[in-house]
Amino acid sequence: MAARPADPRAALRHTPQSAEGSGGLPEQPRRSATPSSADAEHSQPRTPSPEPVRPDPSGPPAGGGERRSGQPRPAGQPVAMRRDGDRLRFVGAATRRIARGIDLDEIVMGLCRATVPTFSDAILVYLREPLPVGDERPTGPMVLRLRRTDRIPDAGDADTDNGSILAVPLPPQTELASGSAELCEVRVGGALAEVLRGVRPVFADTTAAQAALPELLGGEPSLPTGQRVILAPLRGRRRVIGAAVFLRRQDRIPFDPDDLLVAGQLATHSALGIDKAVLYGREAYIADELQRTMLPETLPRPTGVRLASRYLPAAETARVGGDWYDAIPLPGSRVALVVGDVMGHSMTSAAIMGQLRTTAQTLAGLDLPPQEVLHHLDEQAQRLGTDRMATCLYAVYDPVSHRITIANAGHPPPVLLHLGGRAEVLRVPPGAPIGVGGVDFEAVELDAPAGATLLLYTDGLVESRLRDVWTGIEQLRERLANTAQLTGPDHPPPLEALCDEVLDMLGPGDRDDDIALLAARFDGIAPSDVAYWFLEPEDAAPSRARRLARSALARWGLEELTDSVELLVSEVVTNAVRYASRPVTLRLLRTDVLRCEVGDDVPQLPRQRQARATDEGGRGLFLVNRLARRWGATRLSTGKVVWFELARPGGGAS
C-alpha cells in the first residue's frame, strides 16, 4: 500500500495558549513531515524562524516535548493561527486560489481546496437554485442546493493520489454533518432567512444558527460542539446567493472569534467570484448563440456540387468573431460560395458580420454578378460606420457550363485542387477591402472541371505570428497536394477528411485568429443530362414545350413522368408567354431529380391564389404545387425563373 500523502495541517503549530483554550483535546498525529507541493499554497503559513515562547505553568513546555501529565504530544498538531500576519497570509493565498477560477465549478472548488484542511476539516457549499444573473429578480421561493462538499479523509478512507481532498458528499455516519440535505427551501421569515440576511458568519452555538442549521442541513444534524461549526452566508453584488458551512472535528481545536473574520473574507470573495462566473457564463452563452445563429446551421445540397465547412473560434474563452461563410443556391442550379472576415473579435464584429451576411444573401437572391455584390456590400459597410472594414470573396459556380466566376475584396485567394492532385492558387484580382469606398471590383471567370475541389478560407488559417500570409498559403497548397496523393490521381480525397487535414496543418499556438473554411467539390452536370430551348412568346409555345419535353423524357428513359411534366410545363410556359416580350427559355435537367426551369423577361413573380369556381384561370400554380416535389420562383436582373422538381421513378430523391 502506498504511503499516506502529506497533510498540510502539519504546518500548524501548537502554542501553550491554544492548548489551554482547547481544554486538552486529543490531537491528531501527523501524516507526513512536510506538506505536499500541491497543498503548499493554501497550507497554514509558517514563520521562517519561530519566536521563542515563554513557558506557561498551566501549559506544556515551550519545547513541546511533553505535557505536565508526562504524556508526549504528537508532532505536527494543527492549531489555530497565532498571529494576525498568519491569518492575512492565509486569506491572501486562499483568495488568490479562489480568484483563479473562471467558471462556477472552479470557484467553488477553489474555496473548498483553500479551506480544507488548513482552516476546517470539512466544508459544505450551498448555492441558490437557480442562480440569479445580474439584475434579474428571482421569482418564487429561495431554494438552496448542496453544490459541493469537501472533507479530510477519515482513517478508514482509501489513500488518494497526490494527497487530494475527497470531493464527495459527506457520508451519513460522519460526525461532521450527518443527514445533510441536498435541497433546502428557505422559508420567508424563518431562522435561516434571518441568518442569511445578516450576511455575517455566525457560530453554530448561537441562538440564530441553532435554529437555522437544521433548516439548512435537514432534520436534526449531528454537529460538532464547542464553536466547531461556522455558518457563513454567501452574498454577491446584490443579493444572497448561498451559504457555506465550515466544520471541525471534536478532536481538533475549536474556531475562535477571529476565525469568523476569516470565514467572512472567504465567503465574500467566493460570492463575488460566483457572481462573476454566472455573468461570464451568461455572456459566453449569448456570444455563442450569436455566433451560431450568424453562421449557416446546415449547408444546402445544390445540384452538381458537394459542400463541407469548418469554423474555429480564436479561443474557447472568446468565441465571437467576424469570420463567416455561406453557400446560397441560385437559379439555374448554380450556387454562390461566400467567405468573409470582419476585422476584430467582439460582439460588434459578430453583429456587423451578421448584417453583411444578410446583405450578401439578399443580393444573391437578385442574381447580381459577383462584382456587383461586392460593390453593394461595400456601400452597406460604409453605411454601418467609417471604421467597418471586412474582406470578402464571392464566387458563383455553374454546374452546367463547368465555370466559376469569382470577385475578391482584399481576401486571401482561393486554392483549387485538381483531380490529378495538382493544387494551384487561383489568380484573382485582390481588390480593396469592403468599407474602403470608391473602389471598383473585378470578376474573373475560370474553368471548374469535374472532380476539382475549391477551398475558400479566412486568413486565420494561413497567417499567424509564426508565418506571413503568403508562406501560409504555400503551405496550404502543399498540404492539399500531399493529401490528394494519398487517394491516387483518379479519386479525389473525401471532402470532410480533406477539411480535417487542412486544419491539422495548424500546430500548437499557431492560431491567432478565427478560421472559416468552405470546401466545394465540383461534380457538374453532364451535357447529356441537359436539354435547353428558346420559345417565342406566342400562342403555339405551350404545345411546342410539351412536345420538346416529351422527346427529352423519352431519350432519358423517363416516360413515366411524361403526363405530369407535360401538364406542368404547359401551365408554366402559358403563364410566361402571356406577359413576356422576348423569347422564353425552357431547360430540363436530369440529376437525382428531374428539374424544369422556365425563364422570361418579366420581373414580377407569380403568386399562387385560390381560384373561384367561375374563374377560367388561376389554377396553374395550384397544380404545380400539388404535383411537383418542390417549386419556386426567383427574380433575375433580366426577369425571373420559375422552376419545379419531380422525383425520378425508381430511386429518385424523396
Side-chain angles (χ1 to χ4, degrees), residues 77-99:
Q77 171 66 33
V79 297
M81 303 175 193
R82 293 191 308 164
R83 301 180 304 176
D84 291 340
D86 292 339
R87 286 191 173 87
L88 289 175
R89 283 190 289 272
F90 166 71
V91 171
T95 53
R96 284 194 301 272
R97 182 161 194 157
I98 295 170

Side-chain angles (χ1 to χ4, degrees), residues 410-457:
H411 203 78
V415 179
L416 185 65
L417 177 63
H418 293 268
L419 183 60
R422 180 174 64 90
E424 65 169 326
V425 180
L426 297 183
R427 296 184 177 182
V428 180
I434 290 172
V436 173
V439 179
D440 291 332
F441 299 98
E442 183 181 353
V444 295
E445 187 173 350
L446 305 170
D447 287 330
T453 304
L454 184 69
L455 201 71
L456 309 179
Y457 53 91

Side-chain angles (χ1 to χ4, degrees), residues 201-226:
V202 294
F203 286 122
D205 56 1
T206 61
T207 304
Q210 286 178 350
L213 282 171
E215 183 180 345
L216 177 65
L217 302 179
E220 294 296 331
S222 175
L223 297 173
T225 59

Side-chain angles (χ1 to χ4, degrees), residues 51 53 135 142 187 207 250 280 370 425 433 445 488 508 511 549 569:
E51 298 176 1
V53 181
D135 294 327
M142 181 190 299
R187 298 191 302 270
T207 304
Q250 286 293 145
Y280 173 80
V425 180
E445 187 173 350
R511 180 156 57 90
V569 165

Side-chain angles (χ1 to χ4, degrees), residues 48-111:
S49 55
E51 298 176 1
V53 181
R54 261 184 275 173
D56 189 339
S58 62
E66 294 183 355
R67 298 178 184 271
R68 286 194 176 273
S69 60
Q71 299 295 328
R73 179 175 65 85
Q77 171 66 33
V79 297
M81 303 175 193
R82 293 191 308 164
R83 301 180 304 176
D84 291 340
D86 292 339
R87 286 191 173 87
L88 289 175
R89 283 190 289 272
F90 166 71
V91 171
T95 53
R96 284 194 301 272
R97 182 161 194 157
I98 295 170
R100 285 198 196 116
I102 295 178
D103 60 28
L104 181 61
D105 290 333
E106 289 178 348
I107 292 172
V108 174
M109 181 183 292
L111 170 64

Side-chain angles (χ1 to χ4, degrees), residues 140-223:
M142 181 190 299
V143 177
L144 299 181
R145 176 183 292 275
L146 182 60
R147 183 79 184 197
R148 186 179 180 88
T149 63
D150 271 5
R151 65 180 175 88
I152 297 178
D154 294 327
D157 291 336
D159 292 338
T160 55
D161 295 336
N162 301 324
S164 61
I165 304 302
L166 295 182
V168 296
L170 298 174
Q173 68 269 18
T174 181
E175 60 173 327
L176 293 176
S178 62
S180 57
E182 184 179 354
L183 281 177
C184 164
E185 182 174 333
V186 181
R187 298 191 302 270
V188 178
L192 180 57
E194 292 299 321
V195 172
L196 296 179
R197 188 178 298 114
V199 178
R200 297 182 181 278
V202 294
F203 286 122
D205 56 1
T206 61
T207 304
Q210 286 178 350
L213 282 171
E215 183 180 345
L216 177 65
L217 302 179
E220 294 296 331
S222 175
L223 297 173

Side-chain angles (χ1 to χ4, degrees), residues 535-538 541 572-585 598-604 638-640:
L535 304 174
E536 292 296 328
E538 55 190 14
V572 176
V573 171
T574 299
N575 188 71
V577 300
R578 180 176 300 173
Y579 306 102
S581 59
R582 297 180 180 179
V584 174
T585 60
V598 177
D600 59 62
D601 60 344
V602 181
Q604 286 77 18
T638 57
K640 69 175 180 293

Side-chain angles (χ1 to χ4, degrees), residues 557-558 560-561 591-593 646-654:
L558 300 177
E560 296 181 34
L561 300 178
T591 57
D592 54 342
V593 296
L646 293 173
R648 291 175 55 178
S654 60

